[in-house]
Every structure is written in structure tokens, then in C-alpha cells.
Amino acid sequence: MCGRYSFSKKKVPQEHRFTSKLEGLVFSPNFDARPSQQMPVILPEAAKAMMATWASPEKEPDGKPTLPFNVRQENLLYIPRFRELLPRHRCLIPVDGFFEWKELEEEEEPEAPAPAPAADLGLDLFGNPIRSKEEKARSRKPKPRKQKYRFTLKNEEPFGLAGLWRESLNPGTGELVAHFSIITTQANNAVQPYHDRMPVILTPQSEEIWLDNSLAEKQWYHVLQPYDAKQMKVMAIDEAESIWGNYVAPALNSK
């Protein structure tokens, strides 16, 4: 799964393969990109990248999103609306990192003393005992604490994620609007301790294959593989700081 990522044009080296594609494209650095936001995408046979919205708000008759924020690699050839996009609507999403969260193991707390007997507040309309605010608060389970993790390449250079894109008509303006989705695959050894899915990261060579419309389906589908875990790194980060691009260690280390 990939529900957040980061990308800043300022972090793209001048000699990087994305530089010419992004030239002239105006957008703000986004250190916590999420579905519904506009981000750059690179299309086959296009000299320049374009801005597109992550995920489509449109729904299918069965209520499922026409283009969700993630598409499982295993479903590409079996779900008709995705299969129809594959021949001419593959794209590359430039990023410099993506994020996952993991629940922290909570330390066992000493058993609290038994609460005093509750005052009798009578019954509600359904015959259930009416509980006080204090009782409701005690019975509420606290939300589990989660640690945010950032995944990058070891060399910390920007990289490309495999994706699909499509255009739809904005009913309000009558304009065509582009949307994109990130393709996910099984997690490699670097990501697996945090999540069982990961975005498809493409190497520079597999990017060329993925964006080549002259190749056969078997050739570009073959590049949708888990990335080499040895070429990646992960770090626990402070969530509040990371939204501003400050990838610092959290105050409390994860377990």
C-alpha cells in the first residue's frame, strides 16, 4: 500500500533523468502528498511531465472508485477498467520517498483499581442501563500509537513509481481532468516488517520499458516486481516534523 509520499523538485539533481521532464512545470514541494492532491506524472511519449490528481472521485456502478489511489499489480489484467488503461495509460510518478505506519507495542500498565459502583441512572428507551460520562470514558479503547516510517533509496535520489492515469470530465467546468493511481506489489524485505504491500519502484532501465508503447504487454508487465531491498533504506521519523520536510528521528523510538 502507498497512501502518502513526498516529492520536491528542488531535490532533483541537475543531471537527473527527471530534470528535463519537470522543466517549466510549476508546483510546490509536497512532503506529505496524499490522495486528492495534484502531483507531477510522466507519460509515455510526452516531452514534459504534467500535473494530475492522485485518485479519482468517480465511482463505478458497484460503488468502487473508478481509479483508486492504489491498484494491486495482481488485478491489472483481471479488472476490465484497469486492463483497458494498460495499453496507452501507463505513467511514472516521480517521488523522493514514501511512508508507512506501524503500531507501537504498548508497555503493560499496572492493573487499575476497580471503579466505584456506578450510580443508578435508570434505563434508556431500549431498556439498557444509562451510563455516566465517566463510565463511557473508561470503556473507550484508546487508539493505538503509530510510528511513521520513511522509505527511500540508499543514495536518496528521486525515483519513479509505476502508475496508471486517465482523464475524466469535470461536470462543473466541462474540462478534462487527469487522475493517477500508484501500482502496488508484494512487499520486499525492507518494507515487509511495516506493511505487506509496497509501491512498484522502477529502476531507470525498467522506467524506459514501462513507458515504451511500442513494446508488448509481456515486456512491460514483467517490470512490476518488488524492488531490490538492498538498495533501500528506512528510518523512523517524527510525523509532525515530516510534513514540513524535516525528516528527524522521533522523540520516542519505535520498537
Side-chain angles (χ1 to χ4, degrees):
M1 167 181 178
C2 180
R4 300 281 177 86
Y5 70 86
S6 60
F7 186 60
S8 171
K9 189 176 177 181
K10 294 179 180 179
K11 293 186 177 182
V12 183
Q14 188 60 40
E15 66 279 4
H16 196 276
R17 61 191 179 281
F18 293 161
T19 302
S20 62
K21 296 287 186 182
L22 297 168
E23 187 178 358
L25 193 65
V26 179
F27 63 95
S28 300
N30 195 329
F31 304 109
D32 196 56
R34 58 192 69 189
S36 79
Q37 295 183 336
Q38 281 204 325
M39 296 297 290
V41 296
I42 297 171
L43 308 184
E45 302 171 359
K48 300 293 181 182
M50 72 172 187
M51 299 299 289
T53 301
W54 188 4
S56 170
E58 292 181 294
K59 302 289 184 181
E60 294 295 299
D62 60 5
K64 293 181 179 179
T66 298
L67 194 62
F69 69 95
N70 282 170
V71 176
R72 295 173 72 95
Q73 171 252 327
E74 300 92 325
N75 292 337
L76 287 175
L77 301 180
Y78 301 104
I79 296 180
R81 67 182 182 277
F82 300 147
R83 172 129 201 170
E84 289 172 4
L85 294 174
L86 281 172
R88 295 286 168 180
H89 286 81
R90 302 182 309 283
C91 68
L92 186 71
I93 301 106
V95 310
D96 51 44
F98 65 92
F99 307 100
E100 292 292 352
W101 286 257
K102 185 179 180 181
E103 288 187 11
L104 295 175
E105 295 179 9
E106 299 288 351
E107 293 183 1
E108 291 188 9
E109 296 183 3
E111 192 171 331
D120 186 3
L121 300 179
L123 304 177
D124 63 17
L125 294 175
F126 302 98
N128 300 311
I130 297 174
R131 296 188 301 165
S132 66
K133 290 182 179 180
E134 291 75 14
E135 282 185 288
K136 290 179 181 178
R138 281 197 298 268
S139 64
R140 231 179 260 126
K141 287 186 177 180
K143 291 184 178 179
R145 290 193 306 135
K146 293 185 177 182
Q147 176 62 58
K148 189 175 185 179
Y149 293 88
R150 175 171 165 81
F151 297 83
T152 65
L153 299 188
K154 276 191 173 179
N155 60 15
E156 296 190 354
E157 284 199 1
F159 53 98
L161 306 181
L164 293 178
W165 74 282
R166 67 185 296 274
E167 288 182 316
S168 60
L169 196 65
N170 185 322
T173 64
E175 296 177 329
L176 282 175
V177 181
H179 301 272
F180 71 92
S181 180
I182 293 172
I183 298 172
T184 67
T185 188
Q186 293 180 344
N188 61 18
N189 289 338
V191 180
Q192 199 279 328
Y194 311 92
H195 202 282
D196 61 354
R197 305 288 299 179
M198 67 178 291
V200 173
I201 301 173
L202 300 175
T203 66
Q205 294 74 28
S206 59
E207 286 175 6
E208 294 182 8
I209 295 172
W210 180 245
L211 295 178
D212 191 341
N213 280 337
S214 69
L215 299 178
E217 179 181 279
K218 180 191 288 187
Q219 292 172 283
W220 45 253
Y221 188 78
H222 181 69
V223 305
L224 303 178
Q225 304 287 337
Y227 196 74
D228 181 3
K230 295 178 181 178
Q231 302 304 317
M232 296 179 64
K233 69 178 184 179
V234 56
M235 66 175 292
I237 56 174
D238 182 284
E239 179 150 20
E241 288 287 339
S242 73
I243 293 174
W244 305 101
N246 302 321
Y247 303 120
V248 298
L252 295 175
N253 290 326
S254 60
K255 296 183 178 181

